[in-house]
Amino acid sequence: MPRYEFRCRACGDTFEVNRSMAAAGDPASCPQGHADTVKLLSAVAVTGRGGAGGGAPAPAGGGCCGGACGC
């Protein structure tokens, strides 16, 4: 289940709420009982060696099309 981060405008506390994606926009009360909260935008970082390349380095080249256009 996705985890969403909120910040309370009254006390400044930051907290997380687990809820379905369908309920992502629903309001959340802070743990201190305040109702004036705002949902924060979170960045997701995915790391690892998965994928079709099998960890192979990206091909070298320059410009917009691998250097062939001379830019």
Side-chain angles (χ1 to χ4, degrees):
M1 187 167 301
R3 180 177 296 160
Y4 299 96
E5 191 173 21
F6 289 83
R7 174 168 286 139
C8 178
R9 291 181 177 160
C11 66
D13 190 20
T14 300
F15 59 98
E16 296 176 343
V17 176
N18 293 329
R19 57 171 59 161
S20 68
M21 290 173 61
D26 292 351
S29 295
C30 94
Q32 305 301 322
H34 305 119
D36 189 14
T37 61
V38 62
K39 188 171 111 179
L40 303 176
L41 296 176
S42 301
V44 176
V46 178
T47 61
R49 292 188 168 208
C64 60
C65 51
C69 65
C71 55

